[in-house]
Amino acid sequence: MAVDSGSGGATLEYTPTWALATVCFFFIFVSIFLEHSINLLVNFLKRHRKNALTEAVEKLKSELMLMGFVSLLLAVTQDSISKICIPAKIGDIMLPCRKKGATEEKETEDVEHFVIVNKIVTNFSAAANGLYDEILRQTVHRRLAEEDDAAASDSCGDGKVAFMTKNALHQLHILIFVLAVMHILYSVLTMALGRAKMRRWESWEQETRTMEYQVENDPNRFRFARQTTFGRRHMTSCTETSFHLWLKCFFRQFYNSVAKVDYTTMRHGFIAAHLPSRHNFDFQKYIQRSLEEDFKVMVSISPLMWFVLAAFMLVDVYGWFVYLWLSYVPLLVVLVLGTKLEHIVAKMALQIKEQNSVIVGTPLVRLNDDLFWFRKPRFVLVLLRYTLFVNAFELAVFVWVTWQFGFKSCYHENTVIIVTRIFLAVTTQILCSYITLPLYALVTQMGSQFKGKIVEDQMADILRQWHAEVRNRRKKEQQLSQSGRSSFSIEWSAMRNSIRRAFRPAEPAESSVHSSNRWDTRDEIVEQEGSSSRGFRRNSDAGS
């Protein structure tokens, strides 16, 4: 029989060994499975030479290690933290949920008694029984939490309360874990959806190598800037004033945010600025590799992000509706970023018109950092990173509250607010994945920064592919030559034996046997000498 140790239940001394071993085996198996899965993913990325994604996975491993360290600290120090006592007046300041008075507690008890009596007396449907079971579960959970708080208050004495109870520390532990998992899932989902939309760029890149594209963009062809496809898209009457230009860019991001003419024009400007001698440069693959480099930044959680998390938890006071106002921030940032990126494309088109009204060949955009905020294209990545983190935090808090306290918690008192928060979080995720991220991947290449390492990796891949093709071709040639030599030797042996049998004199049986053995031995010697001479000639040719 298990022996209770105070209010904490049975200790490890009185826990069945089979229960202890089962828990140990389960967690060991899960840990080994996760580690092996991560190693398989890393090996897969290394085989496909995805160095940037490999580094991103390594950052994820470091984040998981940090989470494990935080879990260890919380587990080791929760007894010491729960023994810290503070005055009761300070403990009642800035609560996320207001405490219930005596009247409200009496009403809660009456509701509980009503539910229990009706469950016993009345035969409810399955849905009603499930609802009442949920109410009872939440009531029991609240009672247990109140008993823990009361026990902690009793240990502190009169007029004092615990700084944080063990139950609160455990819930904080779960919140940090849910936040880290949600941030990783958000980053991976954003990258996957964004790359799915950018998949059409592969066909655009292949089209730049066709004869029709070369004829359409003849370098000796003179045109007015407004007559080009790029000019007709961006040089309209709506661009005459700054207000109309910004308004047009705001609405453009929702429909055909990245057109084919935008991609081909920016590709031409990028190659003309950085690689003028490589007209067949794969710009789409360069953008893909660049986005993989940025992904390892987006997926990591910086120390400043943890401080932002602590600040959000500090101002989560009942009645302030912080999480409602916080849910608008990622959406506003995403909309502003999309408008700014579209504005950069429009400004580059207007600069072409200001430089010369008549252009030759393809419109040439000028790469310029002045079009970006603070002359730093990477600042857009910083905003995207923190936007994803805040949006992940918003959804993580919703999941955590629902998991820990249920839908009847004080966090979920207003159904309209809950629906609004979920709608804003999903809308922000879709806009960021399908609009902002593709725009960022393309427009930020119009800065002065050139990632030479990505081009070097592309050249290295091309050389490896060429080396593999040459090696396979040599293997096939060697197999063909060996099969040709073996068939020739078989035919020569058959013809030689037929000639030998035709001209050999008749001999007795024993002499014929010895003679045939002599002939076979002589033939083997001749074959060995021939093969050695051929090997000598091959070695001499290789040496020369």
Side-chain angles (χ1 to χ4, degrees):
M1 179 178 177
V3 179
D4 290 342
S5 176
S7 60
T11 62
L12 201 62
E13 295 173 305
Y14 301 100
T15 302
T17 56
W18 61 266
L20 177 63
T22 302
V23 173
C24 289
F25 278 124
F26 174 76
F27 283 103
I28 290 173
F29 173 77
V30 172
S31 301
I32 293 176
F33 175 76
L34 291 176
E35 182 184 8
H36 186 65
S37 300
I38 293 175
N39 290 333
L40 289 178
L41 179 60
V42 171
N43 293 332
F44 173 79
L45 295 175
K46 287 182 178 179
R47 284 198 305 270
H48 291 77
R49 302 182 184 90
K50 301 291 185 180
N51 298 327
L53 294 181
T54 303
E55 295 180 9
V57 175
E58 294 296 334
K59 285 187 177 292
L60 291 179
K61 291 173 65 176
S62 65
E63 296 296 334
L64 292 176
M65 184 180 297
L66 177 62
M67 294 303 303
F69 186 69
V70 171
S71 301
L72 179 62
L73 285 180
L74 287 174
V76 171
T77 61
Q78 64 177 359
D79 290 336
S80 301
I81 295 176
S82 62
K83 293 178 181 179
I84 300 175
C85 299
I86 58 175
K89 292 183 178 180
I90 299 178
D92 292 337
I93 298 176
M94 300 179 69
L95 295 176
C97 292
R98 61 187 180 91
K99 289 186 175 181
K100 296 181 178 181
T103 305
E104 293 178 343
E105 290 182 357
K106 182 67 170 57
E107 293 177 355
T108 303
E109 291 179 357
D110 293 341
V111 170
E112 180 182 354
H113 293 158
F114 171 77
V115 170
I116 294 174
V117 171
N118 279 277
K119 278 183 66 65
I120 296 174
V121 176
T122 310
N123 185 17
F124 286 109
S125 61
N129 284 328
L131 176 62
Y132 286 121
D133 289 338
E134 177 67 17
I135 295 175
L136 290 176
R137 186 189 66 81
Q138 294 177 7
T139 304
V140 171
H141 185 275
R142 181 181 56 80
R143 289 289 179 87
L144 292 175
E146 291 176 355
E147 291 177 0
D148 292 341
D149 294 341
S153 300
D154 294 340
S155 62
C156 289
D158 296 335
K160 291 186 178 182
V161 294
F163 179 68
M164 281 193 73
T165 62
K166 292 182 180 180
N167 189 27
L169 288 172
H170 175 68
Q171 292 170 352
L172 175 62
H173 182 189
I174 295 177
L175 173 61
I176 296 175
F177 173 77
V178 172
L179 174 61
V181 173
M182 197 62 63
H183 175 67
I184 294 173
L185 292 178
Y186 250 66
S187 301
V188 173
L189 182 61
T190 302
M191 182 65 64
L193 294 178
R195 291 187 61 174
K197 184 179 181 181
M198 290 186 290
R199 193 168 299 172
R200 71 170 74 174
W201 296 1
E202 296 180 6
S203 61
W204 296 349
E205 184 67 30
Q206 295 298 326
E207 187 177 342
T208 59
R209 294 171 173 80
T210 60
M211 185 60 66
E212 291 79 4
Y213 177 83
Q214 301 296 332
V215 172
E216 184 180 355
N217 297 272
D218 186 3
N220 297 322
R221 182 183 179 185
F222 289 85
R223 290 178 295 175
F224 288 102
R226 285 183 174 274
Q227 293 179 351
T228 61
T229 308
F230 189 66
R232 289 195 301 267
R233 174 174 168 83
H234 297 285
M235 301 176 191
T236 60
S237 59
C238 298
T239 60
E240 294 178 355
T241 62
S242 179
F243 173 77
H244 289 93
L245 178 61
W246 280 98
L247 188 63
K248 174 187 175 182
C249 294
F250 174 78
F251 288 104
R252 167 150 290 177
Q253 63 179 322
F254 301 109
Y255 176 73
N256 199 15
S257 57
V258 178
K260 181 172 68 173
V261 64
D262 295 337
Y263 176 83
T264 55
T265 304
M266 293 184 189
R267 175 186 180 275
H268 177 68
F270 179 86
I271 295 176
H274 297 299
L275 302 166
S277 60
R278 297 181 59 184
H279 297 287
N280 292 328
F281 177 73
D282 197 337
F283 186 53
Q284 186 270 338
K285 186 172 290 186
Y286 176 86
I287 293 177
Q288 181 178 339
R289 294 288 182 87
S290 178
L291 198 60
E292 291 175 358
E293 290 285 338
D294 295 336
F295 177 69
K296 67 183 182 183
V297 179
M298 294 172 59
V299 78
S300 61
I301 302 178
S302 64
L304 182 59
M305 288 182 174
W306 291 112
F307 286 113
V308 171
L309 167 65
F312 288 155
M313 297 176 67
L314 174 65
V315 297
D316 179 25
V317 181
Y318 181 80
W320 290 13
F321 302 106
V322 173
Y323 292 134
L324 175 62
W325 306 120
L326 182 63
S327 59
Y328 287 96
V329 174
L331 180 61
L332 293 177
V333 173
V334 167
L335 293 177
V336 171
L337 283 178
T339 306
K340 176 61 177 178
L341 294 173
E342 288 285 356
H343 183 265
I344 292 174
V345 179
K347 290 292 290 183
M348 288 190 295
L350 294 177
Q351 286 178 356
I352 296 176
K353 177 185 175 182
E354 294 172 358
Q355 293 170 2
N356 196 352
S357 59
V358 179
I359 61 174
V360 181
T362 305
L364 181 61
V365 294
R366 302 292 180 181
L367 276 62
N368 191 0
D369 289 340
D370 295 334
L371 299 175
F372 295 90
W373 284 316
F374 309 110
R375 293 177 50 86
K376 293 181 178 180
R378 300 284 293 178
F379 182 69
V380 181
L381 177 62
V382 175
L383 292 179
L384 275 177
R385 180 185 179 189
Y386 278 87
T387 299
L388 289 175
F389 177 77
V390 173
N391 202 30
F393 173 73
E394 168 67 19
L395 192 59
V397 169
F398 173 78
V399 174
W400 171 72
V401 169
T402 306
W403 182 7
Q404 291 293 309
F405 309 106
F407 286 100
K408 299 299 181 180
S409 170
C410 66
Y411 288 95
H412 296 340
E413 286 181 350
N414 196 325
T415 307
V416 177
I417 293 179
I418 298 303
V419 174
T420 303
R421 288 171 55 189
I422 297 176
F423 173 77
L424 293 176
V426 175
T427 304
T428 303
Q429 177 66 29
I430 295 175
L431 291 177
C432 186
S433 302
Y434 279 92
I435 295 177
T436 310
L437 187 64
L439 270 173
Y440 160 80
L442 178 63
V443 178
T444 51
Q445 308 305 328
M446 298 298 102
S448 59
Q449 184 182 7
F450 176 68
K451 300 177 181 179
K453 183 179 180 297
I454 298 177
V455 180
E456 293 175 1
D457 293 340
Q458 288 186 4
M459 292 299 298
D461 292 340
I462 293 173
L463 291 175
R464 292 191 193 98
Q465 185 178 0
W466 173 79
H467 183 266
E469 291 177 356
V470 171
R471 185 171 52 193
N472 293 333
R473 187 168 60 250
R474 285 183 176 178
K475 284 183 178 180
K476 291 180 180 178
E477 291 177 354
Q478 290 177 0
Q479 291 176 358
L480 291 175
S481 61
Q482 289 177 0
S483 62
R485 285 197 300 268
S486 61
S487 61
F488 176 76
S489 61
I490 293 172
E491 294 175 358
W492 169 249
S493 299
M495 184 175 64
R496 186 181 53 198
N497 291 333
S498 63
I499 294 174
R500 186 173 63 238
R501 285 194 299 268
F503 292 96
R504 184 181 302 170
E507 294 182 358
E510 293 183 0
S511 62
S512 64
V513 172
H514 291 296
S515 175
S516 63
N517 290 336
R518 275 199 314 275
W519 279 89
D520 293 340
T521 305
R522 190 180 305 163
D523 294 339
E524 291 177 358
I525 294 173
V526 171
E527 288 180 357
Q528 292 177 359
E529 290 178 353
S531 61
S532 63
S533 63
R534 287 194 300 270
F536 176 75
R537 283 197 301 273
R538 285 197 300 269
N539 294 332
S540 63
D541 294 340
S544 61

